[in-house]
Amino acid sequence: MAEKDLAGRKALVTGSATGLGRSIALKLAERGADLIINCTRSLSEAEETVAECNKLGAQTQLVAADVSTEEGCRKLADAASGWGRLDILVNNAGITRHAQDHSDLDALTRQDFLDTYAVNVAGPFLLMQACKPLLEKAYEESGRASAVLNVSSIAGVTGIGSSVAYAATKGALNTMTLSLARALAPAIRINAVCPGFIGTRWFKDRLNSDQYERMEAGVAKATPLGVASGPDDIADSAVFFLTDASRHVTGETLLVDAGMHLGYAPLSAR
């Protein structure tokens, strides 16, 4: 049974219907936080996540909203305003455009870049903009800096990944983490987690079961720790940034990739 060290805290996790966002939300609920679960289209999965959070004792609400728009971010902030404050914000929602051959410059269009930036970079900024007063209010009431976590990627550090556009957005998100951590302290502390491979539907929806198993085995073989991470593995590290254990940490970018960055060859090159 997890310690209820986040009891009474209010959290918003974007893109939390499935995958890593869902795992982070469940771990926050287990530790006592109340939650806003967010999705754009995955309503049935989001409802399942809400139900699981409720079973863990959290007061949970579901808000369908597109974080790439000012309207969507305002909708999420308005939902959080019912609490009067926001202690935790996780910018997890993200998209990609798959073009794994980075030398094929014709594989991506201008619109691919704009769409990916809209969700992966503009989205976290717009949501921070909308939620800043609530995050500052939590600091005023508690004397404890509110915690923001940006879910980035190894792609933003090494330039590998599903596409050049995706890697570029995650690099931009890492830089924005530094800029805002400096600018918004001491009321708000902002960190980023950079996963490597995560076994989620991003891959599972594009591959049959045999292809996915081969891919997972290949990833495990390529990492120094010899494992292929799942959402819970990353979420355990991510939640550190949302608790008092990291109360003196801001502007940090943490690679959680089983050592992949130490020597990784793209899957297509093996």
Side-chain angles (χ1 to χ4, degrees):
M1 190 72 175
E3 179 187 356
K4 299 291 186 180
D5 57 337
L6 300 179
R9 299 193 199 180
K10 311 303 181 184
L12 163 57
V13 184
T14 67
S16 43
T18 63
L20 178 56
R22 179 181 187 274
S23 290
I24 292 173
L26 291 173
K27 289 181 184 296
L28 291 175
E30 189 177 23
R31 295 174 78 148
D34 296 322
L35 287 145
I36 293 172
I37 300 301
N38 161 252
C39 69
T40 304
R41 293 181 298 273
S42 305
L43 281 171
S44 61
E45 292 95 335
E47 288 168 353
E48 291 173 4
T49 302
V50 167
E52 289 299 313
C53 289
N54 288 340
K55 286 180 185 177
L56 293 168
Q59 295 182 13
T60 316
Q61 53 182 314
L62 169 59
V63 179
D66 182 353
V67 299
S68 72
T69 68
E70 291 179 336
E71 179 185 14
C73 291
R74 184 74 261 162
K75 185 177 180 182
L76 286 163
D78 286 347
S81 69
W83 289 323
R85 73 179 200 279
L86 189 62
D87 301 278
I88 293 168
L89 170 61
V90 181
N91 288 308
N92 171 72
I95 65 167
T96 192
R97 294 291 183 265
H98 288 276
Q100 295 224 304
D101 181 357
H102 288 197
S103 70
D104 182 5
L105 301 189
D106 294 325
L108 294 168
T109 66
R110 177 178 181 274
Q111 196 61 48
D112 289 331
F113 268 85
L114 293 177
D115 291 345
T116 310
Y117 263 87
V119 177
N120 296 2
V121 184
F125 178 81
L126 292 172
L127 194 54
M128 283 293 300
Q129 189 180 63
C131 292
K132 183 183 174 213
L134 294 168
L135 292 162
E136 291 176 333
K137 184 65 173 176
Y139 170 68
E140 292 167 7
E141 291 183 357
S142 69
R144 177 187 59 242
S146 299
V148 175
L149 180 66
N150 293 327
V151 176
S152 183
S153 170
I154 187 178
V157 177
T158 63
I160 63 173
S162 53
S163 70
V164 171
Y166 180 75
T169 64
K170 294 304 187 177
L173 184 60
N174 290 345
T175 302
M176 187 166 71
T177 298
L178 296 174
S179 297
L180 294 183
R182 183 182 298 110
L184 300 182
I188 305 169
R189 56 186 189 86
I190 307 175
N191 295 288
V193 64
C194 296
F197 172 86
I198 315 177
T200 68
R201 73 180 194 181
W202 269 29
F203 296 108
K204 293 176 181 177
D205 286 352
R206 298 178 66 246
L207 305 170
N208 63 41
S209 59
D210 288 341
Q211 289 172 325
Y212 178 77
E213 286 177 10
R214 287 197 299 272
M215 180 184 196
E216 194 173 51
V219 168
K221 189 175 180 180
T223 61
L225 294 184
V227 295
S229 302
D232 283 346
D233 301 307
I234 309 302
D236 281 334
S237 296
V239 169
F240 161 75
F241 286 116
L242 307 174
T243 70
D244 292 344
S246 62
R247 61 192 176 276
H248 285 188
V249 182
T250 194
E252 185 63 42
T253 301
L254 177 66
L255 283 162
V256 187
D257 65 349
M260 184 180 287
H261 66 283
L262 299 173
Y264 172 76
L267 294 175
S268 59
R270 287 193 212 117

